[in-house]
Amino acid sequence: MRTGTGNDVEGARTAGFPQRVVRSTGARARCLADALVASRVDVAIIVAITLLAAVLRIWQLGSVPDGLHGDEAWTGLDARRVLDEGWIGPYLPSAVGQPIGPVYFTALLFTFMPETTFTLRLSMALFGIATIPLMYAAFATMFNRRVAAFASLLLAVMMWHLHLSRTGFMVVSWPFMEMAVMLALWHAMRHRSYALFVLAGALTGLGIYSYNAYYLFLPLPFIAMIWTYFPRRERPWRGRTLVYVAAYAVIAFAVTLPMLQYIANNTGDYRFHQKLVSVTSSEQWHEADGVGERAHIIWRRADEWGNAMLDGNRADLGDGLATWRHPPLGRLAAVLVAGGLCMAFWNWRKPEYAVVLAATAILPLGALLTVDDGLFRRTLGLAPFLALLAALPLAWMWDWLWRPGGHARYAAVIALVLPAYLGVTTTYQYFGPLQDDVDLKYTYPYQLDAASRYIARLPRGTFVYFYSRNWRFTYETRRFIAPDAIGVDRSFEFRGASSVTPSSLDLAITRDGPVAFVFLAPYIGNLHDVSTLYPGGSITEATKGGETMFAAYYLPDGGG
């Protein structure tokens, strides 16, 4: 059975580095011609898949999902800080604490593009798009073009990666850095290049600045090197191995020094996020009686995460994934992943398969060892490896049908029909029914988004009296969309200390100049009261699908 490993031009290689082959001039010319043809095929395949990924990730990016999430808004707010202050460090407490490497890229886009929701999301979508060709190049090096092509195509249409690529969440930079490291490291091992080992180490260190859960990826490069070098018993190779690994590790450590220095000086701030989400800090963990109950807690979390990945029956209100019948992965893809796992276990002695198996075992810990929402963000680094596992049986099927005496005419139909089906269904579900899902709508505050856009259009200096049950006036979405607005909370939920009796809604105008009353649920009905108290103003109401998202009353002269 062909497993899809090996180099397409040379046909075979060792488990570690390729052996040097002496060829005649004619053989070299033929190999060069074959390489050029293969390169043209590579370019054609990856351009097509990348264009597909780009269309899916950029089309209607500013309005799908509808409503700017607070964590997305933090990315934009921090990017504005970069524009104003320059270097603001490797880590910030915004969104309860996160590395901010991708923020600097968002700030770069803000220097020549408008500071809008589209630009903010585009900065992260570009990471998602760029992951596709990186993934193809990495897996083509580790396996071959067929495996890489199927894996890239599957990731391009995977609901999990598609959705998080279309938001301003910085987590999408995590798979991007993984693929960059794998590509550089595998080329370093195959070409025995100190420079490439240094590059791989630098990329590994840079990944620390992408996302909190990136640390789970760190064992994988070392597993790749151990599996590659362990079979070699020759004394010269042992010494050279130590030099390669040392160069990699030293550079990776050096690049992480700013983060390590921050951690040393701000341990409490840095560990705040960890303590907030870690299962070992949870009340249920401390109340558990013994190892058995604690193991059961992790098992329940694994069951929760696994079922949601397959069926989408556990809406994650942190990012809107796994809503009802909209799984991040799905059962069909899971069947392919199971087939790929079998093939990987069969070939576990080969370093490329060892890395994939290790990723499958380690990266889910981002969900299993944490609590509450955020299951799929904390495990997004697994997505490229699941796509790879799903690609292995497809690539084997393609090879088997195209072998001499096989049924080549059925190859394209059988091997491509499953990715095509997944792509069509994912596209329809994502841009159709999913956007009407109640849990997704709840996660992305489209009502506040619409109200903030109204506030941003008000004449400068307008004072806003804000009424909302769910959001403060200072919420990040409003601050990003309408950064120059001034106002105060007047809802019962957020007004704070007031001289008004608790049963009375404050509708008083307390300052001169233009003012606006902005009402969100459940205060929209109070528009009539304020228009009666202060006649002569202008009314604005925004509706969507029969729902009134907000109602506003603008008075150019205030109470005058």
Side-chain angles (χ1 to χ4, degrees):
M1 179 180 75
R2 288 187 63 183
T3 59
T5 63
N7 181 275
D8 284 312
V9 177
E10 296 184 5
R13 62 178 176 81
T14 66
F17 295 122
Q19 299 296 316
R20 299 185 184 275
V21 179
V22 179
R23 298 187 179 93
S24 66
T25 302
R28 289 176 181 175
R30 286 192 297 273
C31 286
L32 177 60
D34 290 342
L36 290 174
V37 172
S39 297
R40 293 177 62 182
V41 172
D42 279 341
V43 171
I45 291 173
I46 197 53
V47 166
I49 297 175
T50 303
L51 285 175
L52 171 64
V55 170
L56 292 177
R57 283 154 179 76
I58 295 178
W59 186 61
Q60 296 187 348
L61 185 59
S63 58
V64 178
D66 188 12
L68 186 68
H69 192 287
D71 287 354
E72 295 182 272
W74 267 122
T75 302
L77 293 172
D78 289 337
R80 285 176 178 162
R81 276 197 60 193
V82 171
L83 294 178
D84 293 337
E85 304 174 28
W87 171 254
I88 59 175
Y91 194 91
L92 282 179
S94 55
V96 302
Q98 56 186 337
I100 63 162
V103 162
Y104 292 97
F105 181 68
T106 304
L108 175 63
L109 263 62
F110 279 175
T111 60
F112 59 89
M113 295 182 68
E115 297 177 15
T116 61
T117 297
F118 176 84
T119 305
L120 167 58
R121 288 178 171 174
L122 178 65
S123 67
M124 298 300 115
L126 291 175
F127 279 109
I129 295 167
T131 302
I132 303 303
L134 270 180
M135 179 180 178
Y136 180 88
F139 290 157
T141 304
M142 295 169 65
F143 295 87
N144 62 36
R145 295 203 316 271
R146 293 171 296 284
V147 172
F150 281 115
S152 301
L153 179 59
L154 289 170
L155 187 69
V157 300
M158 185 184 291
M159 180 78 75
W160 194 4
H161 191 262
L162 171 62
H163 175 64
L164 290 176
S165 296
R166 292 183 57 89
T167 68
F169 302 135
M170 292 185 286
V171 63
V172 75
S173 63
W174 175 16
F176 171 83
M177 292 306 304
E178 288 180 336
M179 294 300 101
V181 170
M182 287 289 100
L183 176 60
L185 182 61
W186 231 264
H187 274 287
M189 292 190 298
R190 295 185 69 182
H191 296 288
R192 314 172 194 174
S193 168
Y194 293 115
L196 288 176
F197 272 104
V198 168
L199 174 61
L203 291 171
T204 302
L206 282 174
I208 295 293
Y209 305 97
S210 63
Y211 188 67
N212 286 309
Y214 174 84
Y215 290 99
L216 295 172
F217 170 76
L218 291 179
L220 301 187
F222 290 96
I223 290 172
M225 288 184 281
I226 290 170
W227 247 255
T228 297
Y229 289 109
F230 182 74
R232 298 186 175 275
R233 306 295 183 182
E234 302 90 342
R235 184 177 298 275
W237 276 104
R238 293 178 182 177
R240 192 175 298 180
T241 296
L242 291 177
V243 174
Y244 289 148
V245 175
Y248 170 86
V250 168
I251 295 302
F253 177 79
V255 173
T256 62
L257 281 177
M259 180 66 81
L260 296 176
Q261 184 179 13
Y262 175 87
I263 295 171
N265 296 332
N266 304 273
T267 303
D269 291 343
Y270 182 80
R271 294 196 62 196
F272 175 76
H273 183 269
Q274 176 188 346
K275 292 179 179 179
L276 191 66
V277 304
S278 174
V279 66
T280 58
S281 301
S282 66
E283 183 178 349
Q284 60 176 340
W285 185 266
H286 291 295
E287 292 178 352
D289 185 15
V291 175
E293 287 192 10
R294 289 177 174 175
H296 187 61
I297 291 172
I298 296 176
W299 173 257
R300 287 203 309 267
R301 182 69 163 180
D303 185 61
E304 175 187 11
W305 177 77
N307 287 332
M309 287 286 289
L310 298 181
D311 298 321
N313 57 0
R314 194 281 192 204
D316 191 316
L317 301 182
D319 48 44
L321 277 164
T323 58
W324 182 247
R325 294 182 179 178
H326 300 112
L329 183 64
R331 288 189 173 272
L332 177 57
V335 170
L336 294 174
V337 169
L341 274 173
C342 293
M343 297 173 67
F345 277 114
W346 183 264
N347 295 279
W348 67 271
R349 290 182 178 85
K350 299 177 181 179
E352 59 269 32
Y353 287 100
V355 167
V356 176
L357 289 172
T360 308
I362 296 172
L363 295 178
L365 296 177
L368 274 55
L369 299 183
T370 59
V371 296
D372 301 327
D373 290 321
L375 293 88
F376 310 106
R377 271 197 264 182
R378 297 169 196 155
T379 52
L380 182 63
L382 181 62
F385 296 100
L386 291 186
L388 172 66
L389 287 171
L392 288 175
L394 293 175
W396 173 81
M397 185 185 304
W398 181 276
D399 289 346
W400 184 75
L401 291 170
W402 277 94
R403 77 188 193 282
H407 303 282
R409 61 185 179 277
Y410 300 121
V413 175
I414 296 176
L416 293 177
V417 69
L418 294 180
Y421 174 77
L422 289 171
V424 170
T425 55
T426 297
T427 302
Y428 166 73
Q429 291 292 331
Y430 187 80
F431 291 100
L434 176 59
Q435 300 306 317
D436 294 324
D437 184 273
V438 63
D439 290 313
L440 186 78
K441 287 184 173 182
Y442 176 81
T443 303
Y444 292 84
Y446 62 95
Q447 304 98 329
L448 177 61
D449 187 297
S452 299
R453 295 180 189 281
Y454 166 79
I455 293 171
R457 295 192 299 269
L458 290 171
R460 181 176 292 273
T462 300
F463 193 83
V464 177
Y465 298 109
F466 195 71
Y467 302 80
S468 172
R469 174 180 57 201
N470 297 323
W471 303 287
R472 292 181 179 273
F473 182 72
T474 55
Y475 193 74
E476 294 80 26
T477 299
R478 195 282 303 164
R479 289 168 54 199
F480 177 77
I481 295 175
D484 298 323
I486 53 175
V488 65
D489 286 303
R490 282 281 188 82
S491 65
F492 289 123
E493 292 80 2
F494 301 121
R495 67 183 182 179
S498 175
S499 59
V500 182
T501 59
S503 60
S504 301
L505 188 66
D506 190 358
L507 299 176
I509 295 177
T510 58
R511 56 187 294 145
D512 297 329
V515 299
F517 293 83
V518 179
F519 300 98
L520 282 76
Y523 297 98
I524 293 174
N526 294 103
L527 174 68
H528 174 74
D529 299 331
V530 76
S531 63
T532 301
L533 280 173
Y534 310 106
S538 58
I539 294 174
T540 300
E541 291 184 286
T543 61
K544 179 182 179 181
E547 172 194 7
T548 300
M549 295 185 289
F550 75 90
Y553 191 67
Y554 172 71
L555 289 160
D557 299 321

